[in-house]
Amino acid sequence: MEQLPTPPGERPARTTHASPGGSYTATATVSDQGIVTGWSEEARRMLGHAASEVVGRPAADLLADRSDRSGGTAGSGGTGPAARPVGPGQERWSGTVPLRHRDGRRLDAALLAHRRAALGEAAEWFVVSAVAGAPDASWEGPLGEWAFDRSPCAMAVFDEDLRLVRANAGMHRALTLTEAEMRGLRLSEIAPDPVSEETERGMRRVLETGEPQSVDGFVRPPGAGAAHGWATSLAPVPGPDGRVRAVYLSAQDRPAGDAAPRQPLPPTLAGARVDTPPDSARTAQELADAAVPRLADFAVVDLLEPSARGETPAPAPGTGPLTVSRSAVRSVLGASQEARFAVGDSAVYPALSPPVECLAAGRGAVYGTADPAVVRWVAQDPGAGWIGEHGTHSLMLVPLRDGRVTVGLALFSRHQRREPFDLEDLRLAEELTARAATGIHRARRTVREHTTTMTLQRSLLPHTLPVQSALEIASRYLPSVGEAGVGGDWFDVIPLSGARVALVVGDVVGHGMRASATMGRLRTAVRTLADVDLPPDELLTHLDDLIIHLSSDETGGETAGGIGTTCLYVVYDPVTRRCTAARAGHPPPAVVSPEGSAYLLDVPAGPPLGLGGLPFETVEVDLPEGSLLALYTDGLLQAREHDIDEALDGMLAALVQPASSLDTVCDRVLTAMLTHRPDDDVALLVARTRALHTDKVAVWDLPSDPSFVAQARRNATDQLAVWGLEEAAFVTELVVSELVTNAIRYGSPPVQLRLIHEGTTLISEVSDASGTAPHMRRARIFDEGGRGLLLVAQLTQRWGTRHTLFGKTIWAEQSLAEF
């Protein structure tokens, strides 16, 4: 409903809002002379009179019995029906008054009026009346009785609209009002006071979060003076359905000198906040915000730079100037004073100044601005000029210490409050700074550990992908942002013999330094096992054994040895276009055919690594040239908004979209799958298959007869001539001659020679049916043989043995870049 416009010169009463149940508060303001000066929309709803019809008229005109003008207005000093008399100097009035509705009806309204006087303005009466809506039966049943009976002291229950539902006798005594006078009103309407408004803000937080709150201070009863304060606790009242239906307010009177803290400690400084990563700058600002204006009129928080170990010892007495980082500032004067302190810049405290002495002593101190130490400090330090401004008269310096570690210094001052800091203020400040120091130290330690883990992990991941011709490859790695830290996801691309390439993706269970270290061990083990050309299933079996050995060496911890680690190992051969894969508890790879169809490769799941005794299975499929392979870790599929099947469908849909490059494919998949920074690490490896056609591969079947070694050399040199590689013929003849001779002499038929021209590499392979692997040995002076493999090793870039289902293959690679 729109608020009626206020005529010129008229002052509107404060507008309140109706609750969902129809209850609302009608408000008006009346001058000491009995003239209506403000009229709310709710008052119009209650009596039907618009503001323009009432403001400026005598309040007595609203009475049902106009002859009883003496008792109808709060400002008249008389008494009305059931009204309390207004004595000289009285600041509050309450009573039941008969009012006349605009349509002529009589309304008996319970009124509560407070006399108030703003600075520089005439005194007036703020009049409120609660208009009840439809009754809520739940407050007449067990819920209301239970809430009321739980009261340990002065206690009230407020509903979801923050209106009073019930109050106990202690509350009546504290506010010197009956329940009938308070029911249906908000606390700020029962007793207008800044602390009442702060308490209502705490009530809203209870309704929103369901968490208890505390407010240091409550409306003081008339005549209590400044010698009493109130410790107020707010707690949620859940309904039968578990939803917060109301708020307990429990207030305990605390006389002056009570040892209880005078101000509440923000829960964030106590480390209660766990939904966001710790942050030292935020914690420093929370400390300043908590201290101003409750404890001080001005606060500055300066942090020391941590050492390489992350710990900052306090300076020794008599040390020279001390450099700090200005991390937070707060002033009751707002930006006009805060702007002089550039947060994030460095500041220097002179030697022997109070801040340096305070840090060296490791305890807080209170100073007057006329103290000689402060006067010397201001004279030495231009940055301390603010101490002489705005009437500053009291200073308090408190180190931020977490155990034996000093992280900074907090400076507090007063210029609006007349009383100087005392020992109770120092005690409260030390408690606040101790909690803040714990948060800052924890934040720095977390950041340091996260940085170290990230550095270790990135050093273990491949910095560049190896040059090879079998696959076009692109990759992405995103570390997690959760408090658990960086995980142990990894990927690798390993060139194998025969122009083949292995793709590896793994996920070590757990997070942090331990997971990264385990990941490094496993990546090294995979590379070592790949170098001996183990089939995927055998390689995973060896990894499983390694995890078991690691776990037996470690005890405790969620990541002991990496038990539960998953791995996917894929080998692609560009000559046969065959893909061989095995997985240990890892998600299967995705394949997109050249025609655009996408599917998950049906690889037997296999158990996670570290369980032992269970087999791994291998699957072999033929992939056409131009097929797309996608390997990934499960962090890519753990979207908050979707289940696993929807996530897989979304990933396949992103993979099939046309893209100019594989980098675009990676970015498109991450954009489609991640709507937020991941809670777990994400590794993504995308590869497009290539093929080595018959014009790059030559194969000859050879009889197991030494006389055909010469024919093998001639076949090799002729093929090199076809490829235009005549300059490599001499070395190739020697290599082919030695490998074929060994296969015929020591191996078993059939014998086969294969040459592969892959880019700038020439690969010579000789296969036979024997499983016996040759080994290089040092020949003695008069030996007639034994120098062949030594010669091969000297003439080629690398050589080795690859075992197959039907025997073995001896291979050697020559670099063509030098020819």
Side-chain angles (χ1 to χ4, degrees), residues 684-704:
L684 176 63
L685 190 61
V686 177
R688 193 183 305 278
T689 62
R690 296 168 176 160
L692 287 176
H693 299 283
T694 55
D695 61 334
K696 297 294 183 181
V697 181
V699 180
W700 299 274
D701 292 325
L702 303 176
S704 185

Side-chain angles (χ1 to χ4, degrees), residues 697-703 705 707-726 728-729 732-734 736-737 740 744 751-756 762-766:
V697 181
V699 180
W700 299 274
D701 292 325
L702 303 176
D705 184 346
S707 64
F708 281 88
V709 173
Q711 182 61 44
R713 289 197 299 267
R714 286 193 296 272
N715 292 340
T717 55
D718 292 343
Q719 185 61 49
L720 292 183
V722 173
W723 288 338
L725 301 177
E726 292 87 348
T732 304
E733 279 190 89
L734 291 176
V736 168
S737 178
V740 171
I744 293 175
V751 178
Q752 185 182 79
L753 169 65
R754 184 171 73 163
L755 297 183
I756 302 173
L762 178 65
I763 304 171
S764 303
E765 294 185 344
V766 176

Side-chain angles (χ1 to χ4, degrees), residues 84 107 121 130 179 365 390 427 462 572 645 705 746 760:
R84 297 182 180 183
L107 295 176
E121 298 183 10
E179 184 167 324
H390 307 295
R427 185 201 62 77
Y572 174 70
D645 292 332
D705 184 346
Y746 304 109
T760 59

Side-chain angles (χ1 to χ4, degrees), residues 131-158:
V131 180
D136 188 350
S138 64
W139 295 112
E140 303 301 328
L143 177 60
E145 292 298 328
W146 180 77
F148 182 77
D149 293 338
R150 292 278 295 186
S151 167
C153 48
M155 184 271 184
V157 181
F158 293 81

Side-chain angles (χ1 to χ4, degrees), residues 26 38 98 100 169 172 202 257 285 322 396 437 445 448 494 558 563 619 621 747 751 776 781:
R100 182 71 64 189
H172 300 159
Q285 190 61 55
L322 182 65
M396 183 164 57
R445 184 170 59 247
R448 185 173 66 254
I494 308 172
E558 61 171 341
I563 293 178
V619 66
V621 294
V751 178
M776 184 170 56
I781 296 177

Side-chain angles (χ1 to χ4, degrees), residues 69-128:
R69 291 174 178 264
S70 63
T73 63
S76 63
T79 61
R84 297 182 180 183
V86 180
Q90 188 168 338
E91 301 296 321
R92 189 170 62 191
W93 176 93
S94 63
T96 303
V97 177
L99 302 177
R100 182 71 64 189
H101 193 276
R102 192 172 186 272
D103 61 10
R105 289 182 290 114
R106 171 187 169 120
L107 295 176
D108 290 331
L111 302 183
L112 177 61
H114 310 274
R115 193 173 187 275
R116 63 187 188 185
L119 184 62
E121 298 183 10
E124 64 180 6
W125 289 85
F126 175 59
V127 185
V128 296

Side-chain angles (χ1 to χ4, degrees), residues 23-281:
S23 300
Y24 62 91
T25 303
T27 63
T29 54
V30 181
S31 69
D32 266 347
Q33 292 72 37
I35 303 300
V36 178
T37 58
W39 192 255
S40 70
E41 169 64 17
E42 287 73 20
R44 186 200 65 77
R45 291 176 57 189
M46 177 181 176
L47 294 179
H49 298 286
S52 59
E53 299 172 342
V54 178
V55 174
R57 295 174 54 191
D61 291 347
L62 300 173
L63 295 175
D65 185 2
R66 296 177 62 105
S67 62
D68 189 12
R69 291 174 178 264
S70 63
T73 63
S76 63
T79 61
R84 297 182 180 183
V86 180
Q90 188 168 338
E91 301 296 321
R92 189 170 62 191
W93 176 93
S94 63
T96 303
V97 177
L99 302 177
R100 182 71 64 189
H101 193 276
R102 192 172 186 272
D103 61 10
R105 289 182 290 114
R106 171 187 169 120
L107 295 176
D108 290 331
L111 302 183
L112 177 61
H114 310 274
R115 193 173 187 275
R116 63 187 188 185
L119 184 62
E121 298 183 10
E124 64 180 6
W125 289 85
F126 175 59
V127 185
V128 296
S129 179
V131 180
D136 188 350
S138 64
W139 295 112
E140 303 301 328
L143 177 60
E145 292 298 328
W146 180 77
F148 182 77
D149 293 338
R150 292 278 295 186
S151 167
C153 48
M155 184 271 184
V157 181
F158 293 81
D159 64 13
E160 292 176 278
D161 196 41
L162 304 186
R163 297 183 181 279
L164 184 88
V165 176
R166 297 195 67 174
N168 71 342
M171 196 71 167
H172 300 159
R173 290 191 302 269
L175 298 178
T176 64
L177 288 171
T178 66
E179 184 167 324
E181 292 169 330
M182 296 187 292
R183 182 185 289 270
L185 296 177
R186 292 190 174 96
L187 183 60
S188 59
E189 297 163 349
I190 297 171
D193 185 276
V195 180
S196 296
E197 297 177 359
E198 182 180 355
T199 304
E200 284 191 351
R201 289 193 292 271
M203 292 183 191
R204 292 190 184 94
R205 287 194 295 270
V206 172
L207 291 172
E208 293 170 358
T209 66
E211 297 294 331
Q213 303 287 326
S214 56
V215 179
D216 191 42
F218 183 63
V219 181
R220 298 171 183 175
H228 288 70
W230 293 82
T232 304
S233 299
L234 305 172
V237 180
D241 58 356
R243 182 172 63 88
V244 178
R245 296 287 308 280
V247 180
Y248 283 123
L249 184 151
S250 177
Q252 183 176 4
D253 185 16
R254 189 181 65 246
D258 196 314
R262 283 179 284 178
Q263 301 292 340
L265 294 173
T268 52
L269 294 180
R273 180 178 292 179
V274 296
D275 55 330
T276 56
D279 180 84
S280 57

